Amino acid sequence: MSNIRFRALETMHHRKPVAVQLPEGKVSDYFALNVFNQEQMQKYLSKDAYRAVLDAIDHGAGIDRKMAGQIAIGMKEWANSKGATHYTHWFQPLTGLTAEKHDSFFETSDGKALEQFSGNALVQQEPDASSFPSGGIRNTFEARGYTAWDPSSPAFIMERGGGKTLCIPTIFVSYTGETLDNKAPLLKALTMLDKAAVDVCQYFDKDVTKVHATLGVEQEYFLVDTSILNTRPDLQITGRTLFGHAPAKGQQLEDHYFGSIPDRVYAFMLDFEQESYKLGIPLKTRHNEVAPSQFECAPVFEEINLAVDHNLLLMDIMEKVARRHNFAVLFHEKPYSGINGSGKHNNWSLGTNTGKNLLSPGSTPKSNLMFLTFFINTIRAVYEHADLLRASIASASNDHRLGANEAPPAIMSIFLGGQLSKVLNDLEKSVGEKKLTPDEKTELKLNIGKIPEILLDNTDRNRTSPFAFTGNKFEFRAVGSSANCSSSMTVLNTIVAEQLNNFKKEVDLLIDKGMKKDEAILKVLRRYIVESKNIRFEGNGYGDEWVKEAKRRGLSNIQTTPLALDAFVTKKSLKLFESMNIFNHREAEARHEIMLETYIKKIQIEARVMGDMAINHILPAAIKYQTSLANNIESLQDIGLKADMYATQMEQIREISGHITTIKKNVDAMVEARRRANKVENVRDRAILYCDKVKVYFDVIREHVDKLEMLVDDEIWPLAKYRELVNVR
Ligand code: ADP
Ligand code: MG
């Protein structure tokens, strides 16, 4: 493993070669080369220490300080053997990004230099919590916070600029125990889900002792040339273009999707893929996406906590590797208006220690009843907490996508496909309130037995649904491409866990009353089918018809983040979070506040950039061009031409004046609206003002700037245009 040879790959950029070192040989030769995985643990840890880690992974068992000390020594030896000089706790503060604070292994003792890493340093670090968002938690309590080791996600070595750092995945909590990050709540949700799902599995299979959620994340992104990006302050600062007329050729020819990958992009992909492989990220798929300069990559699914860590790590790697290739990666949900946005499809399922996928139908009536149980409970959970699920994907950037005519709409609905819709409809009809006759029972069993084992029928796909069943997993498609998907996955796993708990209670009650187990299960499932029927939708989720139909059904359709976030702190949600031990009220409210603050800041920054660009970039260019038109008219008059010979120029001057006036007027009004909003104390009210009173100016300012783009001389237009931005090669 350690004798990997590298070959150089040359890729060109503006005639400058970019040297990329690619490992020779098969991926399996260097996969997880930089991960302290079980194979390495066995090598570097004592038997006891190794077992302690496994116990922590499999059963959430604690690791005592003495044992941590032993593990730290082994981990340090491994890291040093790989050339790592520093270590860091790697965590996920509520900024949505990852954070690191590096310390050196190097210490001096009695004048001698040595490499050290204690158990304490492994299990706990104290970054200054006051520099991370805490939603007021840090004000009332202690300012300090600490990071604590998550043994269920393996440590890894990050290579950067020749340096190597041991990264230890951790949770981040305040000294009083409140969670300040995205990982801790997810781990809590997974613990609850494990317990609830194992309990339900006992009806069918006593061998199931552990259930874990699985996640496969499809990551969409855009690439843009760094040199072109550098002419666009909006893209650089906000991640999206605030101006830009649609290009003559966009995606209308649909020639990009699955097209051949341009050479330079291909080199970038190879480069970030091999970096990812070394860190154990099992990337599998790469292709062009629908929009020009848009691409996607997807790994093989993994246990969900690991999958989330890997997705965050992947995004970090992609951004860094892109720089080597003179590209910038855009993870924003909507970098370009009028061109498809990017999502992060979350493929989610449940796996058991016995190797079964609980959302995969089996070959016997018994295994199919087990499948139906988890399938229908998931539907019931999403139905019950659709608003909370909607809140979990809300962000200023995802607002551009949800509800636009391309991404899943803001209305939560579930697509099942024809076969399973029919199964559920039949089930609903056959199990009524009355007792089943033996014949009916046999028929029902037969019907359930008839669910085909393989449901992966590609013709039966609906790409417009936010939450679609795709044969052996659900695909939550409304998650934004820039999101840390642990927030939506925390909610999904929590609501399914709660639902499974309720299901178990109800079935047990019927069994206690003397009903047969299978019959009790079917009876409860049938009721769930009836109750949650409104959330099932097989049609086109992009159509206006669906908006009307959803309204009729009483489903929410909340278009904007400030209002969508309300669902996070309703009585119902607070009760859910508290009873499932995910957030106490303070934590939930703190998070709500942080999400609102983030929203405000994002819109505020966009408004500022928009104002700056309009006044300092666009208007001067327009005025300059207008002056040259005026000069031209003057010269034409000087040589004695009649007015009708420069009527076009006159008309252009008038048009430009109109746009300039409108832009200036609206920028001023936007600044004023911002001022008024900033004075509002209540954060929710302020967020709503930013949404309704500040953001509304974006469209009109943009419209007039984009008109100017079509009028003003291309030579003096200060910004790269869409045709250049979405044209990576
Ligand atoms: P598509 O949705 O484009 O047809 P795939 O069927 O290949 O793509 O699946 C997309 C993602 O779903 C991949 O990351 C894959 O690993 C993941 N996936 C497949 N099975 C499961 C599962 N049981 N649990 C979670 N994710 C899964
Ligand atoms: Mg997919």
Side-chain angles (χ1 to χ4, degrees), residues 218 296 345 347 461 463 470 473 475 477:
E218 298 166 61
E296 177 184 304
H345 294 182
N347 294 273
R461 285 269 180 131
R463 293 174 56 90
T470 49
K473 61 190 187 285
E475 185 170 342
R477 302 198 179 110

Side-chain angles (χ1 to χ4, degrees), residues 260-505:
S260 97
I261 299 170
D263 284 354
R264 250 182 85 211
V265 175
Y266 183 63
F268 160 70
M269 287 175 171
L270 289 178
D271 201 0
F272 86 70
E273 282 168 359
Q274 61 101 4
E275 291 286 343
S276 304
Y277 289 143
K278 285 195 277 181
L279 290 171
I281 304 171
L283 285 180
K284 174 102 176 143
T285 309
R286 56 165 107 103
H287 60 76
N288 288 2
E289 254 306 321
V290 173
S293 298
Q294 190 189 28
F295 306 90
E296 177 184 304
C297 61
V300 177
F301 70 93
E302 299 177 281
E303 186 280 322
I304 195 164
N305 174 41
L306 192 57
V308 171
D309 282 0
H310 279 169
N311 177 250
L312 290 167
L313 203 48
L314 172 73
M315 290 167 75
D316 193 31
I317 292 168
M318 286 170 71
E319 280 182 337
K320 296 200 162 93
V321 171
R323 264 175 238 155
R324 287 210 276 272
H325 295 255
N326 293 303
F327 281 136
V329 184
L330 307 175
F331 287 118
H332 193 287
E333 283 76 359
K334 192 80 178 174
Y336 307 109
S337 159
I339 292 176
N340 266 17
S342 301
K344 192 191 305 255
H345 294 182
N346 278 215
N347 294 273
W348 174 89
S349 189
L350 298 169
T352 68
N353 60 303
T354 55
K356 185 163 171 39
N357 176 354
L358 292 172
L359 290 176
S360 186
S363 48
T364 62
K366 188 174 140 200
S367 61
N368 275 344
L369 188 56
M370 188 175 187
F371 156 72
L372 283 175
T373 295
F374 284 92
F375 182 65
I376 294 167
N377 270 289
T378 304
I379 297 169
R380 180 72 181 77
V382 171
Y383 166 75
E384 186 67 42
H385 293 287
D387 287 353
L388 183 56
L389 207 55
R390 162 72 183 93
S392 77
I393 48 159
S395 70
S397 49
N398 212 15
D399 276 1
H400 293 281
R401 193 170 152 257
L402 303 179
N405 228 16
E406 54 169 70
I411 308 162
M412 291 295 116
S413 70
I414 308 182
F415 170 84
L416 304 185
Q419 281 175 325
L420 286 170
S421 293
K422 183 166 181 322
V423 170
L424 262 53
N425 292 341
D426 290 351
L427 207 58
E428 183 186 335
K429 273 184 239 134
S430 59
V431 200
E433 286 307 310
K434 61 177 184 3
K435 242 178 142 34
L436 291 178
T437 65
D439 274 357
E440 283 171 327
K441 265 189 214 164
T442 314
E443 198 196 322
L444 187 62
K445 232 183 186 164
L446 266 173
N447 276 337
I448 292 174
K450 268 194 244 153
I451 300 173
E453 214 173 328
I454 308 291
L455 285 163
L456 298 165
D457 176 2
N458 270 312
T459 56
D460 197 17
R461 285 269 180 131
N462 179 329
R463 293 174 56 90
T464 67
S465 174
F467 202 89
F469 188 70
T470 49
N472 57 4
K473 61 190 187 285
F474 280 101
E475 185 170 342
F476 189 20
R477 302 198 179 110
V479 185
S481 48
S482 71
N484 176 337
C485 45
S486 56
S487 42
S488 52
M489 288 300 105
T490 297
V491 167
L492 180 60
N493 289 295
T494 303
I495 63 179
V496 171
E498 182 203 45
Q499 178 55 50
L500 290 170
N501 284 341
N502 291 343
F503 172 74
K504 171 99 171 59
K505 267 187 227 137

Side-chain angles (χ1 to χ4, degrees), residues 448-658:
I448 292 174
K450 268 194 244 153
I451 300 173
E453 214 173 328
I454 308 291
L455 285 163
L456 298 165
D457 176 2
N458 270 312
T459 56
D460 197 17
R461 285 269 180 131
N462 179 329
R463 293 174 56 90
T464 67
S465 174
F467 202 89
F469 188 70
T470 49
N472 57 4
K473 61 190 187 285
F474 280 101
E475 185 170 342
F476 189 20
R477 302 198 179 110
V479 185
S481 48
S482 71
N484 176 337
C485 45
S486 56
S487 42
S488 52
M489 288 300 105
T490 297
V491 167
L492 180 60
N493 289 295
T494 303
I495 63 179
V496 171
E498 182 203 45
Q499 178 55 50
L500 290 170
N501 284 341
N502 291 343
F503 172 74
K504 171 99 171 59
K505 267 187 227 137
E506 297 193 60
V507 171
D508 282 352
L509 210 66
L510 291 178
I511 294 175
D512 286 348
K513 282 190 194 152
M515 196 181 273
K516 282 254 178 58
K517 187 179 72 185
D518 284 2
E519 211 170 316
I521 290 171
L522 279 169
K523 198 174 163 73
V524 177
L525 288 181
R526 177 189 181 266
R527 213 190 64 237
Y528 289 170
I529 294 173
V530 175
E531 286 167 354
S532 58
K533 216 167 177 180
N534 268 348
I535 201 141
R536 281 163 48 193
F537 179 61
E538 303 286 305
N540 174 16
Y542 297 172
D544 290 338
E545 277 311 303
W546 172 227
V547 175
K548 284 185 213 137
E549 164 71 10
K551 195 165 175 199
R552 205 182 50 74
R553 294 189 189 184
L555 300 177
S556 329
N557 181 9
I558 307 166
Q559 302 281 327
T560 61
T561 293
L563 296 180
L565 290 177
D566 284 348
F568 205 79
V569 284
T570 54
K571 267 209 184 102
K572 186 174 170 185
S573 297
L574 289 176
K575 188 166 153 260
L576 166 82
F577 286 138
E578 178 145 67
S579 69
M580 299 303 285
N581 194 28
I582 312 295
F583 301 125
N584 59 32
H585 289 201
R586 269 176 50 74
E587 287 172 310
E589 268 146 20
R591 257 157 222 264
H592 181 232
E593 193 180 312
I594 290 167
M595 291 187 282
L596 288 167
E597 288 277 6
T598 306
Y599 177 85
I600 293 168
K601 283 180 196 151
K602 289 262 157 88
I603 303 295
Q604 189 175 46
I605 291 169
E606 287 188 351
R608 282 186 186 144
V609 172
M610 192 159 213
D612 285 356
M613 284 176 72
I615 303 298
N616 303 323
H617 297 227
I618 309 295
L619 293 197
I623 291 167
K624 196 167 166 188
Y625 181 56
Q626 202 181 30
T627 308
S628 77
L629 287 171
N631 291 342
N632 173 256
I633 293 171
E634 229 171 33
S635 330
L636 295 179
Q637 283 168 337
D638 282 352
I639 60 169
L641 288 188
K642 285 213 201 83
D644 62 336
M645 300 302 284
Y646 46 80
T648 304
Q649 288 90 319
M650 287 297 261
E651 178 53 30
Q652 277 187 313
I653 287 177
R654 264 187 227 108
E655 262 183 67
I656 291 172
S657 286

